[in-house]
């Protein structure tokens, strides 16, 4: 078991905490998921709050090793988790965004990732909390933030620190990782108006700086030369993970009209069309696209601001994917698990945050394991259930909002919550649990 380097996690605490502080020992997950109709609490905006029964009995998984295996876990970690006591600006008495409980939780999750022996790991955005450029507790850990130039410098220091610690965790375990940009990786939405319009305007003006920091510290080490021209050059790319598996990572955040909107810019869209067309002509079996937000809606959500791609299935983005018979679109943002299918494309919304504090695991980290056996892909989703949650305090983050509970420890073994089987000609063979497509 490898101990992950010091690091930070992202916090999205849209969950109401109980009035009394208490240590909660989580009960067993109350989801009997396979082959049954299951109630899902807070399944926001979905056509039904229950999981339909299996579409068909799952065929037997092929024996032996897969031709190719990937693991996908969007919103990992969606929190600033790292040991800031390692910084020269830290001294005794200052807070820390790291403790023994989160060290254990991060290790437990990454141990599970490593045990699956994936060839690659995919993370569709929200690696961090990203509320950088401010210092609500006046700690000075990332420098002063009173003036615009100071805030800009603080963003760079925090981004370099948290993004590099995030990447080091995967490098320490020899896990190749490919990420997409999420809203928290560029300061978190909103970027216009809101309760603090001046701060949101500042974030919007520095989206490029956020994206470039993500590129330098996380994307560039993966050596992905096929990238578009224009504003998405740092954060969109395509790479063959296997001779028969193309991954295209898109940047769904475009600055325009005085806001940041979930939409590909024209240069990126032309590049996507060209890249997928080349893969089709080559005869590539599996075309996989990852982006941070869902396109098809509705999907289940837990503690999410529910960003959706502008235009949905009528958007040029979706039409380009349909034109080239993309097999799989993977997204995060919603901290819950849903499958939708349209035009032969299977959209899987999944992933979750380390600090989401529901005792049944809703909103918590989960991962999708995909195994390719020739023209068949086997997928299963595994959810991490809390063992203990301590509401007695909050773990420090530079921003005062969305701070996680002070302690959250997950069980050593995740809970399987669904299966899905696809073919490379865009057919669904079988599904069950939370991977049963929503209707």
């Amino acid at each position: 078991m490898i101990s992950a380097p010091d690091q930070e996690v992202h916090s999205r605490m849209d969950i109401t905490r109980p009035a009394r502080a208490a240590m909660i020992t989580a009960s067993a997950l109350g989801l009997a998921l396979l082959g049954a109709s299951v109630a899902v609490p807070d399944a926001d905006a979905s056509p039904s709050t229950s999981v339909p029964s299996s579409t068909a009995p799952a065929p037997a998984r092929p024996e032996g090793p897969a031709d190719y295996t990937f693991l996908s876990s969007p919103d990992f970690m969606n929190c600033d988790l790292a040991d800031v006591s390692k910084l020269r600006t830290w001294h005794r008495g200052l807070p820390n965004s790291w403790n023994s409980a989160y060290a254990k939780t991060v290790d437990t999750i990454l141990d599970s990732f490593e045990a699956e022996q994936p060839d690659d790991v995919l993370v569709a955005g929200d690696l961090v909390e990203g509320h950088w450029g401010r210092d609500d507790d006046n700690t000075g850990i990332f420098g002063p933030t009173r003036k615009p130039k100071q805030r800009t410098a603080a963003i760079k220091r925090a981004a370099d620190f948290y993004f590099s610690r995030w990447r080091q965790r995967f490098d320490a375990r020899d896990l190749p990782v490919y990420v997409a940009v999420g809203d928290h990786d560029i300061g978190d939405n909103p970027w216009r108006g809101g309760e603090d319009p001046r701060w949101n305007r500042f974030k919007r003006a520095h989206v490029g700086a956020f994206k470039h920091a993500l590129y330098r510290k996380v994307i560039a080490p993966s050596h992905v030369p096929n990238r578009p021209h224009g504003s998405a050059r740092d954060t969109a790319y395509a790479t063959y993970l296997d001779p028969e598996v193309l991954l295209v990572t898109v940047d769904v955040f475009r600055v325009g009209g005085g806001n940041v909107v979930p939409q590909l810019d024209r240069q990126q869209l032309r590049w996507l069309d060209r890249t997928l067309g080349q893969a089709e002509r080559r005869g590539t079996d599996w075309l996989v696209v990852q982006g941070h937000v869902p396109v098809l809606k509705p999907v289940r959500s837990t503690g999410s601001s529910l960003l959706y791609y502008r235009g949905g299935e009528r958007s040029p983005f979706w039409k380009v994917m349909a034109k080239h018979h993309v097999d799989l679109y993977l997204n995060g943002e919603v901290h819950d698990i849903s499958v939708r299918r349209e035009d032969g494309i299977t959209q899987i919304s999944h992933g979750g945050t380390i600090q989401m504090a529901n005792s049944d695991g809703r909103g918590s980290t989960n991962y999708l394991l995909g195994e390719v056996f020739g023209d068949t892909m086997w997928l299963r989703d595994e959810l991490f259930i809390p063992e203990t949650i301590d509401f007695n305090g909050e773990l420090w983050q530079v921003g005062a909002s969305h701070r996680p509970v002070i302690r959250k420890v997950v069980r050593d073994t995740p809970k399987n919550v669904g299966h899905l089987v696809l073919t490379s000609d865009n057919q669904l063979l079988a599904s069950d649990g939370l991977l049963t497509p929503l209707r």
Side-chain angles (χ1 to χ4, degrees):
M1 176 172 142
I2 301 172
S3 177
D6 292 327
Q7 219 166 18
E8 301 82 326
V9 317
H10 151 96
S11 159
R12 180 119 200 170
M13 291 304 295
D14 294 350
I15 307 297
T16 303
R17 295 188 175 89
R20 68 180 189 282
M23 177 70 77
I24 299 176
T25 301
S27 59
L29 178 66
L31 301 177
L33 285 167
L34 302 183
S37 178
V38 183
V40 182
D42 294 343
D44 179 44
S46 63
S48 170
T49 57
S50 64
V51 177
S53 59
S54 303
T55 58
R61 177 189 176 278
E63 294 184 1
D67 300 330
Y68 173 76
T69 301
F70 68 88
L71 185 150
S72 174
S73 186
D75 302 296
F76 181 80
M77 295 180 296
N78 210 188
C79 183
D80 291 339
L81 282 184
D83 186 359
V84 295
S85 72
K86 305 296 183 182
L87 294 170
R88 288 182 297 176
T89 53
W90 190 90
H91 59 77
R92 190 177 298 278
L94 288 179
N96 202 346
S97 54
W98 189 247
N99 61 27
S100 60
Y102 282 99
K104 181 178 180 180
T105 292
V106 170
D107 268 345
T108 297
I109 293 171
L110 288 174
D111 284 347
S112 294
F113 287 7
E114 188 176 21
E116 296 284 10
Q117 298 183 309
D119 295 296
D120 299 292
V121 177
L122 316 180
V123 179
D126 278 4
L127 286 60
V128 294
E129 174 67 24
H131 291 181
W132 307 325
R134 59 191 309 153
D135 187 3
D136 290 350
D137 299 315
N138 298 312
T139 66
I141 289 173
F142 294 108
T145 58
R146 292 183 300 276
K147 300 178 181 179
K149 286 186 178 180
Q150 293 174 335
R151 284 186 165 188
T152 301
I155 286 174
K156 184 179 185 302
R157 294 187 194 103
D160 286 352
F161 179 70
Y162 286 116
F163 280 143
S164 64
R165 295 302 191 277
W166 190 96
R167 173 81 198 205
Q168 286 169 16
R169 290 190 177 105
F170 289 88
D171 291 344
R173 296 168 182 267
D174 294 321
L175 291 171
V177 62
Y178 297 92
V179 309
V181 60
D183 55 302
H184 278 263
D185 305 316
I186 53 174
D188 189 18
N189 75 94
W191 296 276
R192 182 172 68 181
E195 296 179 358
D196 192 345
R198 181 178 298 180
W199 172 243
N200 292 335
R201 186 166 58 250
F202 180 85
K203 288 189 300 181
R204 186 174 72 246
H206 288 79
V207 164
F210 279 101
K211 289 184 178 182
H212 190 62
L214 176 68
Y215 169 74
R216 288 187 299 105
K217 295 300 181 179
V218 184
I219 297 175
S222 296
H223 305 293
V224 283
N226 184 359
R227 310 203 309 272
H229 295 293
S231 61
R233 178 168 177 77
D234 283 346
T235 41
Y237 54 89
T239 184
Y240 272 89
L241 304 176
D242 175 86
E244 294 299 336
V245 181
L246 174 71
L247 171 70
V248 182
T249 297
V250 294
D251 176 349
V252 299
F253 295 101
R254 178 182 65 83
V255 180
N259 201 357
V260 177
V261 295
Q263 188 179 61
L264 272 63
D265 62 36
R266 291 180 181 178
Q267 287 177 300
Q268 186 181 179
L269 192 64
R270 287 194 294 267
W271 165 83
L272 176 67
D273 189 15
R274 183 172 63 251
T275 299
L276 292 175
Q278 290 170 348
E280 261 200 314
R281 290 189 293 273
R282 171 175 163 167
T284 306
D285 279 347
W286 297 98
L287 303 181
V288 179
V289 177
Q290 69 168 348
H292 185 59
V293 300
V295 180
L296 303 177
K297 61 181 181 180
V299 298
R300 301 183 184 94
S301 72
T302 301
S304 167
S305 55
L306 266 182
L307 292 170
Y308 282 102
Y309 191 89
R310 180 172 286 188
E313 67 269 29
R314 297 183 301 278
S315 67
F317 171 45
W318 188 264
K319 289 179 179 179
V320 166
M321 290 198 293
K323 169 186 172 184
H324 296 294
H325 307 99
V326 164
D327 298 282
L328 200 57
Y329 176 67
L330 303 173
N331 71 268
E333 166 64 19
V334 294
H335 315 145
D336 215 323
I337 305 164
S338 298
V339 174
R340 298 198 71 95
R341 281 176 53 83
E342 188 76 32
D343 300 317
I345 304 170
T346 300
Q347 171 185 284
I348 303 183
S349 306
H350 62 300
T353 73
I354 280 186
Q355 86 293 344
M356 196 68 77
N358 286 301
S359 61
D360 61 2
R362 286 178 300 118
S364 186
T365 298
N366 64 81
Y367 67 86
L368 186 75
L369 191 79
E371 297 179 288
V372 173
F373 297 89
D375 61 359
T376 306
M377 181 183 289
W378 289 70
L379 299 135
R380 59 179 164 86
D381 203 288
E382 306 285 336
L383 173 66
F384 288 94
I385 312 301
E387 179 180 312
T388 58
I389 306 170
D390 185 355
F391 291 97
N392 280 299
E394 295 178 329
L395 186 72
W396 177 78
Q397 313 275 269
V398 293
S401 64
H402 300 141
R403 287 178 178 175
V405 294
I406 191 65
R407 287 177 55 86
K408 176 187 171 185
V409 177
V410 298
R411 296 180 182 177
D412 290 343
T413 304
K415 173 75 173 179
N416 176 260
V417 293
H419 302 82
L420 190 80
V421 185
L422 299 173
T423 65
S424 59
D425 60 353
N426 302 96
Q427 300 300 308
L428 171 66
L429 289 186
S431 64
D432 60 26
L434 289 177
L435 293 183
T436 302
L438 294 173
R439 296 181 177 87

